[in-house]
Amino acid sequence: MKSLIYSLWLSISVMSLFLCSCKDNKKTEKQKNDIVQQNSKPMSSADSTLFHFWDKFEMQDTAQVKNPEKGEQQLADFLQLLAQVPDSATRDSAVSLMLDKAKVNRSSFDYFIKQYEHYLYDGNSPMRNDIIYESVLRYLIKTDLLSDLEKEAYRPTYKLVLRNKEGQTAEDFSYELVNGKKQKLSDTKAKYTFLIFYDPDCSHCKETIQQLRDTPQLVQLFTQLQVQVLAIDPWGDRTKWKNYQSQLADQWINGFDSESKVLSFNLYDLKASPTIYLLNENKKVLLKDTYLQQVIAYFVKNNQ
């Protein structure tokens, strides 16, 4: 079992280098000491590096800020460090320190806010990360730099990133089967549920689905680990959904959101296609807005 999982993870990871998410074109695109002292535990060396990461960066120098090899690279490196931080309080503090420093120059502040969105929330970004973006949004809806109207623009996205977080119970919804019967996500009986929202017009959806369907080792692994694939078309075009059935495996649950509730009520944040979640048997979210290779990596870590 272990060797099977490892070989799958390596092969899927290699294939993923040549794939990118289909951008959803159906939805609208796209100080230090005070904060440190608030932490009751001693600061680790990693935290110290994070909190002092922007000390020598000159926010007033707009040319430096907007130079991709300077400002953008600095932010990318900062995000890599943030991704390793396990607790939200430290992430919030680090992001607040950085943006407080950027506030001295509104042009720099606006530039970095756009870069945060691009890296963390854009459907095509391999670094997209709702957990970190949550810290950014939490800052934006509280900062005194923005007007109330500007803050309100971020609240809908903030509500979305708070939904279906890892550890939470996934939002339940109904879907229609090919035979016309209705079921709910909560009806799924399996140790794991691989929930994939796909767009029939999305090329990357097709590639991901083909990997799931046609890779013998992956099919074997999902069978051994009792993984049920639940493929949902949420876009509301019944004809396209029916014409797409041949692309899906017979052992999967193939559903259609006939009432468009997933999108209408923003039950899930479908900023990219496909959007993938891994759920446990109680429908708790194990992985949110993830990739196939990350699911395999999860199995590597938790089924040895």
Side-chain angles (χ1 to χ4, degrees):
M1 168 72 76
K2 186 187 300 184
S3 61
L4 172 62
I5 296 177
Y6 271 106
S7 63
L8 271 170
W9 176 69
L10 289 173
S11 62
I12 294 299
S13 296
V14 170
M15 285 187 286
S16 70
L17 294 176
F18 301 96
L19 302 177
C20 61
S21 296
C22 294
K23 183 69 177 177
D24 172 20
N25 59 5
K26 297 182 176 69
K27 299 178 71 178
T28 305
E29 311 275 338
K30 174 345 133 142
Q31 290 250 38
K32 291 193 292 288
N33 290 334
D34 292 336
I35 294 178
V36 169
Q37 289 173 4
Q38 291 174 7
N39 296 327
S40 57
K41 62 180 181 180
M43 189 189 305
S44 68
S45 59
D47 289 350
S48 178
T49 300
L50 196 61
F51 290 146
H52 292 279
F53 193 83
W54 296 91
D55 284 0
K56 297 181 180 179
F57 190 88
E58 183 50 65
M59 291 291 184
Q60 293 282 19
D61 187 348
T62 305
Q64 176 187 231
V65 168
K66 296 187 177 181
N67 182 340
E69 296 181 358
K70 300 291 185 178
E72 186 173 347
Q73 185 60 57
Q74 180 90 352
L75 182 64
D77 294 342
F78 181 61
L79 292 178
Q80 287 184 332
L81 288 178
L82 276 176
Q84 301 171 36
V85 175
D87 63 289
S88 61
T90 300
R91 287 192 301 270
D92 283 359
S93 296
V95 169
S96 294
L97 284 169
M98 181 270 177
L99 289 176
D100 278 347
K101 183 176 177 65
K103 282 195 327 184
V104 300
N105 183 342
R106 182 61 191 260
S107 178
S108 296
F109 182 88
D110 291 343
Y111 173 81
F112 279 119
I113 292 306
K114 289 181 180 179
Q115 290 300 313
Y116 272 124
E117 180 179 5
H118 170 71
Y119 275 96
L120 299 175
Y121 198 66
D122 188 282
N124 283 322
S125 172
M127 293 180 66
R128 71 178 187 263
N129 188 316
D130 279 4
I131 294 176
I132 300 177
Y133 198 49
E134 179 184 332
S135 294
V136 177
L137 292 169
R138 194 154 32 238
Y139 179 94
L140 292 176
I141 62 178
K142 292 180 180 178
T143 180
D144 57 3
L145 182 64
L146 300 180
S147 67
D148 289 342
L149 185 60
E150 288 174 312
K151 293 178 185 179
E152 284 301 314
Y154 291 108
R155 291 190 185 278
T157 303
Y158 184 57
K159 290 179 181 179
L160 270 178
V161 301
L162 291 179
R163 281 196 166 186
N164 303 301
K165 293 173 62 174
E166 293 181 8
Q168 293 182 349
T169 301
E171 293 283 349
D172 204 8
F173 61 91
S174 300
Y175 56 87
E176 181 180 323
L177 299 172
V178 178
N179 60 13
K181 292 184 178 180
K182 292 289 187 70
Q183 287 188 179
K184 291 184 176 181
L185 169 64
S186 55
D187 295 331
T188 310
K189 306 299 181 185
K191 184 176 180 181
Y192 298 104
T193 298
F194 183 97
L195 174 61
I196 175 170
F197 295 98
Y198 71 92
D199 179 350
D201 293 329
C202 164
S203 60
H204 184 51
C205 295
K206 184 175 182 179
E207 291 162 344
T208 300
I209 286 170
Q210 285 178 339
Q211 288 181 32
L212 279 170
R213 185 194 64 194
D214 298 336
T215 307
Q217 300 97 323
L218 191 53
V219 174
Q220 179 185 352
L221 176 66
F222 274 37
T223 300
Q224 291 177 347
L225 293 181
Q226 302 176 52
V227 182
Q228 176 65 66
V229 177
L230 174 56
I232 301 294
D233 177 355
W235 299 110
D237 191 320
R238 187 182 298 275
T239 299
K240 286 185 178 181
W241 171 64
K242 287 188 173 181
N243 291 339
Y244 202 77
Q245 294 305 303
S246 62
Q247 303 291 327
L248 307 177
D250 292 338
Q251 65 269 31
W252 298 356
I253 300 175
N254 306 322
F256 178 66
D257 184 9
S258 56
E259 299 176 357
S260 297
K261 287 191 174 180
V262 170
L263 291 175
S264 298
F265 292 93
N266 287 322
L267 298 182
Y268 289 80
D269 189 1
L270 306 185
K271 55 180 171 287
S273 293
T275 296
I276 296 171
Y277 286 75
L278 182 66
L279 314 177
N280 70 8
E281 59 187 337
N282 297 316
K283 304 305 172 289
K284 297 282 187 181
V285 177
L286 301 175
L287 296 175
K288 175 184 179 180
D289 189 13
T290 189
Y291 299 92
L292 181 55
Q293 68 271 22
Q294 291 174 323
V295 174
I296 303 302
Y298 178 89
F299 291 144
V300 168
K301 181 179 179 181
N302 294 279
N303 290 276
Q304 296 183 17

